[in-house]
Amino acid sequence: MSFSFWLAIFCVTSSTNGLPLLEKNADLRNPFVGFYVFPHGGVTLDPASMNYSSEPAFKKGSQEKSIQLHDAMQQAADDLMKSKPDRIIFSTPHGFHLTDNHVIVSTPTVYGTAGWIWSNFTAEFDIDMDLSGILNAELQSANNHVDLMTLGVGHETLPLLWAEVIPWYFIRKAAIKAGLPLPPALYIGQPTNVNIDNLRNIGRDISKVALLRKEFADRKIAVVISGDLSHYHSNDKNSPYPYSLVSKVFDEFVVNWAKMDMNAETEDASSKEILEKAGGIQNEAGHCGYTGFAMLHGMLEELVHQDWRFKSHFYTYQVPTYFGMMVSSWLPDVSSS
Ligand SMILES: *[C@@H]1O[C@H](CO)[C@@H](O)[C@H](O)[C@H]1NC(C)=O
Ligand SMILES: *[C@@H]1O[C@H](CO)[C@@H](O)[C@H](O)[C@H]1NC(C)=O
């Protein structure tokens, strides 16, 4: 039964902005066990024993900040595995990507290394090709700009790069520690160009598919968004990017958003922070994460409309060298249900 069919049955309520939200329905079940934001800077991988002093814009305090990020990422990955997800919806800004469209990668496995001095750090995970196909078809039928991508006859292992490997390196370690299999994933490549309405709408539609299609609704799904904040924090002559005052302002809006719970009372303030304030200057901020954050916000909005509540767990925000990195999550608020 297709999601568009269900859309016709559940008459939809209109919202002030973005796509219509599903009407409230007590029979729906929330399949999401958690939503995580992971950074993907190489300095987070092994800051305690590797010497990063030749990294661009490395300065006094960089190592300690990198260690804090490392520990936060491991903690977040441990918390993620504790919720025992059986699928992970994973979003990356610079793996496979297109200029304006989302891409869903469909191949049995992906593998890669974190590159540069971190090429001995690797990650590998399986893709759930059935769910990827369903998600793509449903998103397309709701007029999102998305397509499925594969290679050859669809049996190849496709490569991962740092923005995928780094979060999954921590998740794999957590899975091994917990004695659990690494969950298969759906891989969503974010477009290069930022269209906030499209990002928010595709997020809402991903949640609708997860609520209305049994193949998703019966699962325990964790969402992992790979993304870094502004790259314009340093005036060090070794920084690969220029310094801009926008860096601090943009990162603060994103951090404010990440620290807010998501529920009926907070959603307006939350939308204002991420869609209006951060969104209004994202163009000048040199981030590589806003696309995933805006999509994630849309996903949460759809769930909040069903009266579900999500608690923010903020792990850390640091700028060890020239770019901002944040580790945060939202988990279902069980105390309120
Ligand atoms: C790290 O490497 C730099 C050279 O790249 C060296 O000057 C420094 O002493 C090293 N630090 C440690 C703690 O080994
Ligand atoms: C990669 O090599 C570095 C030494 O250069 C080492 O500290 C680190 O533990 C290695 N990482 C893995 C995952 O093997």
Side-chain angles (χ1 to χ4, degrees), residues 82-135:
K82 238 178 260 160
S83 66
K84 298 194 169 64
D86 57 19
R87 289 298 179 276
I88 291 180
I89 294 182
F90 178 69
S91 154
T92 176
H94 34 60
F96 289 103
H97 61 275
L98 298 167
T99 309
D100 292 301
N101 292 6
H102 281 84
V103 60
I104 299 179
V105 173
S106 180
T107 197
T109 52
V110 285
Y111 165 85
T113 98
W116 296 285
I117 59 171
W118 298 284
S119 52
N120 62 333
F121 289 85
T122 62
E124 178 168 19
F125 54 89
D126 294 338
I127 301 278
D128 184 328
M129 293 168 70
D130 292 338
L131 286 195
S132 299
I134 293 170
L135 183 65

Side-chain angles (χ1 to χ4, degrees), residues 10 22-30 211-212 306 308:
F10 289 81
L22 283 178
E23 189 171 282
K24 283 179 197 167
N25 182 317
D27 293 336
L28 295 177
R29 175 189 162 269
N30 168 33
L211 296 177
L212 297 180
Q306 294 298 326
W308 295 322

Side-chain angles (χ1 to χ4, degrees), residues 46 49-50 117 120-121 169:
D46 189 14
S49 48
M50 286 175 76
I117 59 171
N120 62 333
F121 289 85
Y169 170 77

Side-chain angles (χ1 to χ4, degrees), residues 210-253:
L211 296 177
L212 297 180
R213 287 289 302 239
K214 195 171 160 36
E215 298 89 335
F216 285 82
D218 289 347
R219 298 212 167 271
K220 293 177 75 178
I221 305 169
V223 175
V224 174
I225 308 292
S226 170
D228 289 332
L229 307 193
S230 176
H231 285 52
Y232 299 161
H233 281 278
S234 173
N235 47 24
D236 189 298
K237 62 179 187 331
N238 290 323
S239 174
Y241 297 97
Y243 171 75
S244 163
L245 283 169
V246 173
S247 59
K248 265 197 163 63
V249 184
F250 174 80
D251 284 15
E252 203 173 297
F253 292 148

